[in-house]
């Protein structure tokens, strides 16, 4: 069979270069080198351990080394590791670092295990940790036990520890050496565990002494009550009630109060699992029903990034004007105007109470007997005129209360910073699976929802009213609570500038198709493919749930963590996937039904498998937010809109047109909307958060979604013409064998060719039995072990 000749410009590298690269990148070579290092570390462990028992007898021979005598058969060395082991042990333990030399063995063994791919380690962190411990223990043992090994055959801190400790003692004295050792030990503990700072604060504040005194003073009933209260933590509310009480001529009492949630101290508790009632399904037993993995310990999905640290609160800005204040002059004036306006229309009220929020004050009035609610509702414009304010909203009646609410914007609104929301006790102690903190309500309480229970959100609002800040608040809330192994984002940004800031955390939190260069999707055609790919992912997840006999993703992952599902049968730990689409209206105008159909299918079915959607638009019209979309998005977030018709499109009622903007929003899930002031998170804050995450260890690649093949886009190997091989066929085959990874996107990147051509080359490689068939989101299996095997297969074509 004839083959086309390779273009010389496409094959500039000589074959010797490929052989050299292939040798050092071959997985077998890595495994052999790793095995050699592990064996060498065991040999050193034997030599070092034997040195403590045989070193005294071998000292006379090692003090006067003679190469001929040491290499002879009858050299008199009693070390279990022989002459070489005795020399290495004497050099490292007595001559260098003493007992700290054992950390050298740890690092060698860790390096070997990483090369063997037994476990994943961050080598530079292990190198830094082992080096610091080796030096620290050498100096510590040399300083503390300097007077105890004068008659011994070795020094506990080695020659290094003995010399450095004596030099430090001559420079800073004995107390100074102790301070240096203690300070470096504390710094190292802080490096490996940030919780050390919390322990030290408790230690220096002597809080444990005060707690013991308090326990001794309290009776046993108090202790029991404290335990019961600890089971259900509730964020305490600070109730501020001014001492001024207004009484009208008719004896009407006017009361003002303000409530505010108390913020918790800065802490990052581990997310707790939300308990669910046990659910059993009686089915016929199959291979997975009674499966129990060989490992006894539960599977830890965070093990690959076990050193990942959640973002800290210091990354976000603190604002000075976010403290609650009450302007009594403003409240008195508004109260008088409301009373006079209602009285001018013949409406008398028995009481009025004001609750001051961040941007809006809620006045609750109780009308006299016989007053119609509809009469008060019709005075909305008159009250707004008397107060000279925009955004007056009347709630008649307030759900659950026998009062009527009048919401009036404050003359001096406060910013609700995201830092105060994330740092609140309610957020820190939240047990939601996917917690989203939107901001604060009129009563100054932190408003949070669980995306898993919503399960999809529709966000709408006019330009400049806080919609983009709201989306950033959603993403920030999830980044502060979820580990990269538990959550992945699919970000769609037709404007190309809103979500670009998150591109640097691609390997941590983002999901994409294998052939896409960028994880942030900006092309409409790629949006359609991605949404259809999510449908494929949804179907495959449902197949796994069916095999596991569970109803939702949480039950499935719990079962997998407890090793009750067999990974060899395709089971795996599955993260939540949150799809966030900005400017949904632009997608509908350009793609129409191609966009709407997969979105509707995901919204209808994907809740149980952990795929959730948040779509946003600035044009809430009926041709954008269709009945299909509204029916499948029960949770709605409405920022200010210009027309009442737009408000009815979003919320099925007016109200969004009466908001004051700048983050003022209505959240609807169920019967009645809740007015919330959205938390403000600025672009520089988001940059700091993403940089903090990007600096940490990440996965080698993003979370790959399964490849979607359209009805006309499938490829049949029977149609692949092996008589007309691509000029890059052999080069691509050699590249894949060297890297041992069959990926169309890798061919596309390395040779700077289009996806269609790279796909044709991959089809030819599959027909030549160089790579295996497609496995969805996973790279294809490489069937050639090395270049010699490849050469033999190429000759047979």
């Amino acid at each position: 069979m004839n083959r086309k000749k390779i273009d010389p410009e496409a094959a500039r590298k000589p074959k010797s270069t490929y052989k050299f690269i292939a040798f050092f990148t071959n997985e077998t070579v890595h495994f052999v080198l790793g095995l050699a290092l592990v064996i060498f570390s065991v040999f050193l462990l034997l030599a070092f351990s034997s040195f403590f028992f045989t070193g005294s007898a071998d000292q006379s021979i090692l003090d006067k080394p003679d190469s001929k005598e040491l290499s002879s058969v009858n050299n008199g060395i009693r070390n279990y590791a022989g002459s070489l082991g005795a020399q290495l042990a004497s050099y490292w333990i007595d001559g260098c670092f003493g007992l700290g030399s054992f950390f050298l063995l740890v690092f060698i063994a860790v390096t070997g295990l990483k090369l063997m791919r037994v476990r994943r380690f961050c080598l530079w962190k292990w190198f830094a940790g082992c080096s610091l411990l080796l030096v620290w223990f050498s100096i510590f043992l040399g300083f503390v036990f300097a007077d105890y090994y004068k008659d011994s055959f070795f020094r506990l801190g080695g020659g290094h520890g003995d010399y450095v400790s004596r030099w430090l003692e001559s420079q800073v004295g004995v107390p100074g050496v102790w301070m240096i050792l203690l300070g470096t030990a504390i710094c190292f503990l802080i490096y490996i565990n940030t919780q050390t700072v919390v322990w030290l604060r408790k230690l220096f504040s002597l809080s444990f002494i005060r707690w013991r005194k308090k326990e001794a003073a309290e009776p046993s009933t108090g202790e029991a009550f404290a335990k019961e209260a600890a089971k259900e933590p509730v964020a305490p509310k600070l109730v501020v009630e001014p001492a001024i009480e207004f009484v009208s001529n008719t004896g009407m009492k006017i009361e003002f109060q303000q409530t505010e949630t108390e913020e918790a101290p800065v802490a990052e508790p581990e997310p707790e699992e939300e308990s669910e009632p046990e659910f059993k399904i009686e089915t016929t037993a199959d291979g997975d029903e009674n499966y129990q993995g060989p490992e006894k310990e539960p599977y830890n999905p965070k093990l690959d990034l076990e050193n990942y640290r959640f973002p800290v609160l210091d990354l976000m800005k603190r604002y000075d004007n976010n403290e609650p204040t009450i302007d009594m002059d403003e409240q008195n004036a508004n109260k008088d105007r409301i009373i006079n306006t209602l009285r001018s229309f013949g409406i008398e009220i028995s009481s009025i109470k004001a609750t001051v929020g961040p941007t809006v004050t809620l006045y609750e009035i109780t009308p006299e007997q016989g007053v119609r609610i509809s009469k008060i509702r019709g005075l909305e414009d008159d009250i707004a005129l008397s107060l000279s304010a925009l955004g007056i909203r009347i709630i008649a009646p307030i759900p659950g209360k026998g009062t009527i609410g009048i919401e009036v914007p404050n003359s001096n609104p406060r910013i609700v910073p995201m830092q105060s929301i994330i740092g609140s006790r309610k957020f820190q102690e939240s047990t939601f699976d996917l917690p989203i903190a939107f901001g604060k309500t009129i009563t100054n309480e932190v408003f949070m929802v669980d995306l898993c229970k919503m399960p999809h959100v529709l966000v709408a609002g006019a330009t400049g009213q806080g919609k983009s800040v709201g989306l950033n608040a959603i993403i920030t809330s999830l980044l502060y609570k979820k580990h990269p192994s538990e959550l992945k984002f699919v970000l769609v940004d037709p404007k190309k500038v809103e979500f670009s800031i998150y591109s640097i955390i691609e390997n941590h939190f983002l999901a994409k198709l294998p052939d896409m260069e960028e994880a942030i999707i900006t092309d409409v055609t790629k949006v359609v493919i991605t949404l259809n790919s999510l449908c494929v992912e949804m179907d495959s997840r449902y197949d796994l749930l069916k095999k596991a006999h569970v109803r939702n993703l949480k039950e499935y992952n719990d079962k997998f963590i407890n090793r009750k599902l067999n990974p060899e049968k395709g089971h795996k730990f599955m993260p939540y996937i949150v799809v966030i689409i900005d400017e949904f209206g632009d997608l509908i105008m350009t793609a129409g039904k191609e966009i709407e159909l997969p979105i509707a299918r995901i919204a209808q079915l994907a809740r149980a498998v952990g795929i959730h959607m948040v779509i946003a638009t600035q044009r809430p019209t009926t041709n954008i937010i269709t009945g299909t979309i509204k029916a499948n998005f029960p949770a709605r977030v409405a920022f200010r809109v210009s027309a009442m018709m737009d408000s009815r499109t979003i919320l099925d009622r007016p109200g969004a047109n009466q908001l004051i903007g700048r983050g003022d929003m209505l959240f609807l899930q169920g019967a009645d909307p809740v007015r919330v002031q959205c938390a403000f998170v600025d672009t520089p804050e988001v940059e700091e958060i993403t940089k903090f995450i990007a600096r940490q260890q990440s996965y080698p690649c993003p979370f790959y979604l399964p490849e979607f093949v359209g009805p006309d886009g499938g490829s049949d190997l029977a149609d692949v013409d092996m008589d007309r091989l691509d000029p890059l066929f052999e080069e691509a085959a050699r590249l894949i064998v060297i890297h041992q990874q069959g990926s169309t996107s890798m061919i596309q990147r390395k040779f700077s060719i289009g996806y269609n051509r790279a796909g044709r080359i991959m089809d030819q490689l599959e027909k030549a039995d160089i790579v295996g068939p497609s496995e969805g989101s996973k790279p294809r299996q490489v069937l050639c072990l090395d270049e010699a095997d490849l050469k033999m297969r190429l000759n047979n074509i």
Side-chain angles (χ1 to χ4, degrees):
M1 187 178 293
N2 296 327
R3 300 195 312 270
K4 285 192 175 183
K5 293 183 179 180
I6 302 299
D7 187 2
E9 293 184 358
R12 294 178 179 177
K13 291 186 179 180
K15 292 185 178 181
S16 58
T17 304
Y18 282 106
K19 290 181 179 180
F20 181 79
I21 297 174
F23 178 78
F24 285 101
T25 57
N26 190 282
E27 184 177 354
T28 305
V29 175
H30 285 182
F31 185 87
V32 172
L33 290 175
L35 182 62
L37 288 176
V38 172
I39 293 174
F40 181 61
S41 65
V42 175
F43 173 79
L44 288 179
L45 178 63
L46 180 65
F48 286 10
S49 303
S50 176
F51 179 76
F52 299 115
F53 306 102
T54 63
S56 178
D58 297 339
Q59 186 177 11
S60 59
I61 303 175
L62 297 175
D63 285 345
K64 298 178 181 179
D66 184 2
S67 57
K68 293 183 178 179
E69 181 180 358
L70 291 175
S71 60
S72 63
V73 177
N74 300 319
N75 51 23
I77 295 295
R78 301 179 61 184
N79 191 291
Y80 298 154
S83 173
L84 179 61
Q87 293 178 73
L88 290 173
S90 177
Y91 173 76
W92 284 103
I93 295 180
D94 184 51
C96 291
F97 300 104
L99 297 181
S101 302
F102 279 91
F103 290 104
L104 175 68
L105 314 185
V106 174
F107 179 71
I108 294 175
V110 165
T111 306
L113 293 175
K114 180 177 177 62
L115 289 174
M116 294 171 66
R117 294 189 179 181
V118 176
R119 286 193 64 180
R120 292 186 178 182
F121 297 99
C122 182
L123 279 185
W124 72 267
K125 288 187 177 181
W126 276 89
F127 175 77
C130 290
S131 300
L132 289 172
L133 290 173
L134 182 142
V135 173
W136 190 89
F137 273 99
S138 174
I139 299 173
F140 174 78
L141 295 173
F143 173 67
V144 175
F145 299 100
D147 298 331
Y148 294 94
Y149 54 74
K150 292 181 178 179
D151 299 330
S152 176
F153 65 92
F154 78 98
R155 294 164 286 188
L156 291 176
H160 167 269
D162 184 51
Y163 174 77
V164 175
S165 61
R166 284 191 286 107
W167 181 80
L168 287 175
E169 187 176 350
S170 67
Q171 299 298 314
V172 298
V174 175
V177 177
W178 278 112
M179 292 178 186
I180 292 174
L181 291 173
L182 181 61
T184 52
I186 292 175
C187 291
F188 181 76
L189 291 176
I190 292 174
Y191 169 73
I192 62 175
N193 189 359
T194 55
Q195 197 67 19
T196 306
V197 177
V198 180
W199 297 336
L200 290 174
R201 285 174 179 165
K202 291 181 180 179
L203 178 65
F204 290 134
S205 64
L206 303 179
S207 60
F208 61 93
I209 297 178
R210 293 197 297 269
W211 178 253
R212 288 181 180 177
K213 290 181 179 179
K214 185 177 180 181
E215 282 185 337
E218 288 181 351
S220 57
T221 55
E223 295 176 0
F225 178 77
K227 291 180 181 179
E228 290 295 326
K231 293 180 181 178
E232 299 180 357
V234 179
K237 297 179 182 177
L238 177 65
V239 180
V240 180
E241 295 190 356
I244 303 174
E245 186 177 280
F246 302 94
V247 181
S248 65
N249 296 330
T250 60
M252 176 182 63
K253 182 179 178 181
I254 304 167
E255 170 187 323
F256 293 88
Q257 73 174 10
Q258 175 197 19
T259 56
E260 179 201 5
T261 57
E262 178 183 338
E263 291 190 3
V266 178
E268 296 174 8
E270 290 293 327
E272 300 177 0
E273 292 293 334
E274 184 174 302
S275 60
E276 291 187 357
E278 185 179 359
F279 184 79
K280 295 183 179 180
I281 303 177
E282 295 293 336
T283 58
T284 57
D286 61 4
D288 288 334
E289 186 68 23
N290 299 317
Y291 175 80
Q292 181 64 44
E295 299 86 352
K296 294 183 179 179
E297 294 183 0
Y299 171 76
N300 182 10
K302 303 178 183 179
L303 191 60
D304 291 341
L305 300 181
E306 58 183 347
N307 296 320
Y308 176 81
R309 292 186 297 132
F310 289 90
V312 295
L313 290 178
D314 295 337
L315 299 173
M316 288 187 288
K317 184 178 178 181
R318 298 175 183 266
Y319 291 86
D320 297 331
N321 66 334
N322 65 333
E323 295 298 327
T325 56
I326 300 178
D327 187 348
M328 294 304 300
D329 294 334
E330 178 186 357
Q331 304 303 326
N332 292 335
N334 289 342
K335 174 261 306 181
D336 292 335
R337 291 191 186 113
I338 291 173
I339 294 174
N340 294 332
T341 302
L342 293 176
R343 185 171 292 160
S344 65
F345 288 94
I347 299 174
E348 295 292 338
I349 57 176
S350 59
S351 67
I352 181 171
K353 183 175 70 172
T355 304
V356 184
T359 56
V360 176
T361 298
L362 173 65
Y363 295 89
E364 295 184 42
I365 62 174
T366 304
E368 294 284 356
Q369 292 290 333
V371 177
R372 285 190 172 186
I373 294 178
S374 59
K375 189 174 182 181
I376 299 178
R377 191 185 290 117
L379 298 177
E380 187 172 312
D381 294 334
D382 299 284
I383 296 175
L385 178 64
S386 66
L387 295 176
S388 301
L390 295 175
I392 298 293
R393 196 169 75 104
I394 293 181
I395 309 172
I398 296 178
K401 297 183 179 180
T403 57
I404 297 173
I406 302 176
E407 295 175 346
V408 181
N410 296 335
S411 58
N412 295 314
R414 301 196 324 266
I415 294 176
V416 178
M418 194 68 187
Q419 187 270 344
S420 66
I421 303 299
I422 298 295
S424 64
R425 178 178 282 111
K426 185 174 184 179
F427 183 83
Q428 294 290 337
E429 297 179 355
S430 169
T431 58
F432 292 162
D433 292 323
L434 290 177
I436 294 177
F438 277 113
K440 288 186 177 181
T441 62
I442 291 180
T443 57
N444 284 288
E445 295 179 353
V446 174
F447 184 77
M448 286 184 59
V449 291
D450 188 357
L451 184 58
C452 285
K453 296 180 179 178
M454 294 167 71
H456 311 288
V457 190
L458 175 62
V459 182
T463 304
Q465 304 303 321
K467 179 168 49 59
S468 297
V469 175
L471 295 179
N472 285 329
I474 292 174
I475 299 175
T476 302
S477 301
L478 296 173
L479 291 179
Y480 265 87
K481 266 292 189 181
K482 307 304 291 184
H483 189 272
S485 64
E486 301 172 320
L487 174 66
K488 301 298 175 184
F489 289 102
V490 175
L491 301 180
V492 179
D493 183 14
K495 290 191 286 189
K496 303 182 180 181
V497 294
E498 292 295 340
F499 294 148
S500 60
I501 196 171
Y502 298 103
S503 60
I504 60 176
I505 60 172
E506 175 179 332
N507 290 359
H508 290 87
F509 280 102
L510 300 189
K512 68 174 186 178
L513 290 170
D515 60 309
M516 288 176 55
E517 295 183 0
E518 298 180 356
I520 310 297
I521 308 167
T522 57
D523 188 1
V524 176
T525 58
K526 292 183 178 179
V527 174
V528 177
I529 298 174
T530 302
L531 292 175
N532 284 292
S533 174
L534 285 168
C535 292
V536 176
E537 174 74 13
M538 177 184 70
D539 293 335
S540 63
R541 288 190 173 197
Y542 267 115
D543 291 338
L544 292 176
L545 263 63
K546 177 183 176 182
K547 293 178 182 178
H549 305 297
V550 294
R551 295 189 306 165
N552 54 53
L553 183 72
K554 186 175 181 180
E555 294 178 3
Y556 177 89
N557 283 338
D558 288 342
K559 207 169 182 179
F560 185 84
I561 288 173
N562 293 322
R563 301 191 184 275
K564 295 180 180 179
L565 298 175
N566 191 351
E568 296 181 356
K569 294 187 177 181
H571 293 292
K572 59 186 177 180
F573 182 86
M574 295 186 291
Y576 289 101
I577 299 177
V578 177
V579 185
I580 301 181
I581 302 177
D582 189 21
E583 199 40 64
F584 176 67
D586 182 69
L587 299 179
I588 287 291
M589 292 178 63
T590 53
K593 292 293 183 180
E594 294 184 15
I595 288 284
E596 186 178 354
L597 290 178
I599 287 180
R601 188 162 183 264
I602 293 171
Q604 289 170 354
L605 300 173
R607 172 182 183 175
V609 292
I611 301 177
H612 305 275
M613 299 195 73
V614 179
I615 64 175
T617 181
Q618 63 182 1
R619 293 194 298 273
T621 56
T622 53
N623 60 337
I624 301 296
I625 304 176
T626 62
T628 305
I629 296 296
K630 289 178 63 176
N632 294 291
F633 284 77
R636 321 272 176 81
V637 174
F639 292 89
R640 186 184 180 188
V641 294
S642 57
M644 182 186 296
M645 185 60 65
D646 294 339
S647 178
R648 290 187 181 277
T649 304
I650 308 168
L651 304 174
D652 297 322
R653 71 196 70 196
N657 57 311
Q658 299 167 323
L659 301 176
I660 61 175
R662 298 179 61 86
D664 191 16
M665 56 174 263
L666 290 173
F667 177 83
L668 176 65
Q669 186 182 14
D672 299 294
V674 180
R675 193 165 186 174
V676 180
Q677 177 60 39
C678 184
F680 178 70
V681 52
D682 204 359
T683 302
E685 299 176 67
V686 180
E687 286 182 355
E688 291 299 321
I689 295 170
T690 54
K691 287 179 182 178
F692 180 86
I693 297 173
R695 284 193 292 264
Q696 303 185 56
Q697 180 188 3
S698 68
Y699 294 106
C701 60
F703 181 85
Y704 284 132
L705 298 173
E707 294 182 3
F708 170 73
V709 180
D712 299 328
S715 62
D716 189 357
L717 290 182
D719 298 333
V720 177
D721 188 3
M722 298 300 289
D723 293 330
R724 301 176 58 187
L725 293 177
D726 192 278
L728 297 175
F729 175 77
E730 289 191 8
E731 292 298 315
R734 192 174 292 112
L735 175 72
I736 285 176
V737 172
I738 289 173
H739 290 276
Q740 287 294 303
Q741 181 180 359
S743 172
T744 305
S745 59
M746 183 176 68
I747 297 176
Q748 185 181 0
R749 290 194 309 269
K750 294 294 184 181
F751 296 106
S752 300
I753 60 178
Y755 181 73
N756 293 333
R757 184 181 178 186
R760 286 194 299 269
I761 294 175
M762 186 61 70
D763 291 338
Q764 293 172 355
L765 293 172
E766 181 182 350
K767 191 164 185 177
D769 291 333
I770 297 173
V771 297
S774 175
E775 299 180 11
S777 61
K778 299 180 181 178
R780 295 172 183 251
Q781 183 181 0
V782 181
L783 304 179
C784 291
L785 299 177
D786 50 27
E787 223 175 334
D789 188 13
L790 173 63
K791 187 175 181 181
M792 182 178 64
R793 291 175 188 258
L794 292 177
N795 291 333
N796 293 332
I797 296 179

